[in-house]
Amino acid sequence: GAVVSQHPSWVICKSGTSVKIECRSLDFQATTMFWYRQFPKQSLMLMATSNEGSKATYEQGVEKDKFLINHASLTLSTLTVTSAHPEDSSFYICSANMAGGQETQYFGPGTRLLVL
Amino acid sequence: GQSLEQPSEVTAVEGAIVQINCTYQTSGFYGLSWYQQHDGGAPTFLSYNALDGLEETGRFSSFLSRSDSYGYLLLQELQMKDSASYFCAVLYNFNKFYFGSGTKLNVKP
């Protein structure tokens, strides 16, 4: 089956620092990758849609300069949380789908970010 | 805009059948998906319905009525390991998913 990995699985950082999260599709080429954020006991909120070789599309209310997304290849997308603050502490999850398979998204295991 | 409604919590006993309903209001609707998420884990795909009707996959079935903007997930022969949160999600604008707030299912012995 399709496998998506994320690295790191958890990170603790000081306020003001930047954190980079990687999302990789291990056994398929992902035409599109998605980044979600989930606060405790809440739903997944789509942050942005990332297409290889083009600029990410951000959802309303998500600051593109704060959450930098780079989709360098068909198997790798990165999310950088710049100048992280405690309110950015959350569970960040990426997902990917295959060409022609937009109805099935394969989720990575998620990254827990704690900003002190 | 998109909106989804599903119950916040459901409790059932092992071996029972439980139905989790989902109503939606959306533009650009393509289909309805269901995902399972255990505490601390990532969502895993359960089902996707693009057309009206019932889709069965083992103990789980999913139903969609496009005219009623309504769907449900049916879990049969409940097991303790089915205790998790279940999210309905609409696929809209070709490849975007909007997730409901989730239903926490508690399975008791």
Side-chain angles (χ1 to χ4, degrees):
Chain A
V3 178
V4 176
S5 71
Q6 274 184 248
H7 178 80
S9 56
W10 59 270
V11 59
I12 301 173
C13 69
K14 292 183 179 180
S15 186
T17 59
S18 294
V19 174
K20 180 186 282 189
I21 303 169
E22 289 187 353
C23 176
R24 292 181 186 272
S25 56
L26 297 185
D27 51 1
F28 67 99
Q29 291 188 328
T31 52
T32 308
M33 288 183 168
F34 305 85
W35 287 96
Y36 293 84
R37 181 169 51 182
Q38 186 179 33
F39 293 106
K41 300 190 186 302
Q42 294 188 23
S43 187
L44 287 79
M45 299 300 295
L46 180 65
M47 299 174 67
T49 304
S50 169
N51 291 294
E52 185 262 341
S54 63
K55 289 185 178 180
T57 304
Y58 290 81
E59 295 300 302
Q60 193 172 8
V62 179
E63 299 173 57
K64 63 180 182 180
D65 295 329
K66 181 168 182 62
F67 299 99
L68 301 178
I69 292 173
N70 183 279
H71 195 151
S73 75
L74 284 172
T75 59
L76 173 64
S77 177
T78 61
L79 168 69
T80 301
V81 183
T82 62
S83 186
H85 291 283
E87 58 266 28
D88 298 323
S89 299
S90 188
F91 190 43
Y92 291 87
I93 314 172
C94 72
S95 71
N97 58 21
M98 303 180 190
Q102 67 275 2
E103 69 274 9
T104 306
Q105 289 195 11
Y106 301 96
F107 282 86
T111 298
R112 293 206 178 275
L113 170 65
L114 177 61
V115 184
L116 302 176
Chain B
Q2 327 297 328
S3 73
L4 286 162
E5 284 193 23
Q6 55 180 125
S8 58
E9 193 163 355
V10 173
T11 300
V13 297
E14 260 188 310
I17 299 173
V18 72
Q19 179 173 312
I20 301 174
N21 297 321
C22 175
T23 57
Y24 60 88
Q25 286 186 319
T26 186
S27 55
F29 178 84
Y30 276 77
L32 185 72
S33 273
W34 288 91
Y35 285 83
Q36 179 193 62
Q37 185 180 33
H38 286 96
D39 282 348
T44 54
F45 172 80
L46 293 178
S47 67
Y48 174 76
N49 293 64
L51 303 176
D52 286 359
L54 188 69
E55 298 268 350
E56 299 182 52
T57 309
R59 295 187 297 116
F60 293 1
S61 303
S62 58
F63 172 83
L64 174 66
S65 169
R66 294 176 70 120
S67 59
D68 295 323
S69 298
Y70 163 76
Y72 66 73
L73 178 70
L74 189 73
L75 299 89
Q76 303 183 72
E77 301 173 18
L78 279 177
Q79 302 175 8
M80 296 297 292
K81 66 178 182 179
D82 296 330
S83 292
S85 290
Y86 292 84
F87 293 88
C88 59
V90 290
L91 177 65
Y92 69 101
N93 291 356
F94 182 66
N95 67 351
K96 290 188 176 183
F97 275 100
Y98 181 86
F99 282 77
S101 54
T103 298
K104 185 173 174 58
L105 173 62
N106 303 302
V107 181
K108 303 198 170 213

